[in-house]
Amino acid sequence: MPTWPRLHQDYGKRKGLSAEVLYFVPLGTNAEVHQVTLKNEGNTPRTIRMYSFVEWCLWNAMDDFTNFQRNFSTGE
């Protein structure tokens, strides 16, 4: 198991739903692992949907995010 400082943890809370995310990169692996914990802290039952995604960048994430046409042309 990785040890600090390879771990990063974030917390959030909104409208009675709390979220905790633990990020880490396993040693010797070209991957990043996210462990998400959601907790309903309200009094009413909820249905929660989570979706995963992958971000693809050529070099500069902000430039790639704001210059779709160049990325589309490059990808073609």
Side-chain angles (χ1 to χ4, degrees):
M1 191 70 168
T3 59
W4 186 259
R6 299 188 196 291
L7 297 176
H8 179 75
Q9 210 158 9
D10 283 334
Y11 303 92
K13 189 181 214 181
R14 183 168 187 219
K15 296 184 179 180
L17 181 65
S18 66
E20 179 180 337
V21 183
L22 176 67
Y23 307 90
F24 69 94
V25 176
L27 296 174
T29 304
N30 188 16
E32 181 176 295
V33 178
H34 300 189
Q35 176 182 317
V36 180
T37 304
L38 298 175
K39 184 177 180 185
N40 181 10
E41 296 182 354
N43 295 326
T44 58
R46 295 175 182 235
T47 300
I48 300 167
R49 294 184 183 145
M50 285 185 53
Y51 301 92
S52 64
F53 70 95
V54 175
E55 180 182 4
W56 177 71
C57 296
L58 294 172
W59 178 253
N60 179 324
M62 181 51 80
D63 186 45
D64 290 348
F65 179 71
T66 57
N67 194 346
F68 175 77
Q69 187 58 49
R70 185 204 63 217
N71 293 341
F72 184 72
S73 298
T74 302
E76 270 188 326

